Amino acid sequence: MLSLNVSCFPGKGLLKAQQRASRTGELDNPGAIPISAPELHANHVPTGYSASIVEFFVPLFLLMFISVGSFIWLVSPQVNWALERPLMLAISIALLWF
């Protein structure tokens, strides 16, 4: 809800931060020290790599198929299967296929 700028009971700090962000575009307070590491702000994409829509949709469909299919066939959704198999597939597609 906060990402849509909708808050039911915001405190003084949150109201001040929302006003600062809308007026100046600054997300951090002027004296704030960001917690995130500097390594997270840099892109390290290998040369020659180009993303494909296949890398998104194939694992997504596999996730849906495993979660719904395991619920239908085993009467219990196998969440671990539904999360780990598409992840391994996406890694394999990114490393081997393209």
Side-chain angles (χ1 to χ4, degrees):
M1 296 289 285
L2 288 176
S3 64
L4 299 174
N5 203 18
V6 176
S7 53
C8 297
F9 304 106
K12 293 178 194 175
L14 186 57
L15 281 174
K16 189 175 174 183
Q18 286 176 338
Q19 291 170 356
R20 180 184 60 247
S22 65
R23 288 184 189 148
T24 65
E26 291 291 321
L27 298 178
D28 292 329
N29 209 7
I33 300 171
I35 298 175
S36 66
E39 304 91 42
L40 299 176
H41 297 281
N43 275 336
H44 300 291
V45 179
T47 56
Y49 176 78
S50 63
S52 171
I53 199 158
V54 172
E55 293 178 59
F56 176 75
F57 281 112
V58 172
L60 179 66
F61 289 137
L62 181 63
L63 184 139
M64 290 188 301
F65 177 75
I66 291 174
S67 58
V68 173
S70 66
F71 180 72
I72 291 171
W73 289 312
L74 302 175
V75 191
S76 173
Q78 299 298 317
V79 177
N80 289 339
W81 296 356
L83 293 176
E84 69 186 24
R85 299 309 195 284
L87 176 64
M88 298 309 292
L89 178 65
I91 292 171
S92 301
I93 289 172
L95 291 176
L96 302 174
W97 192 349
F98 295 101

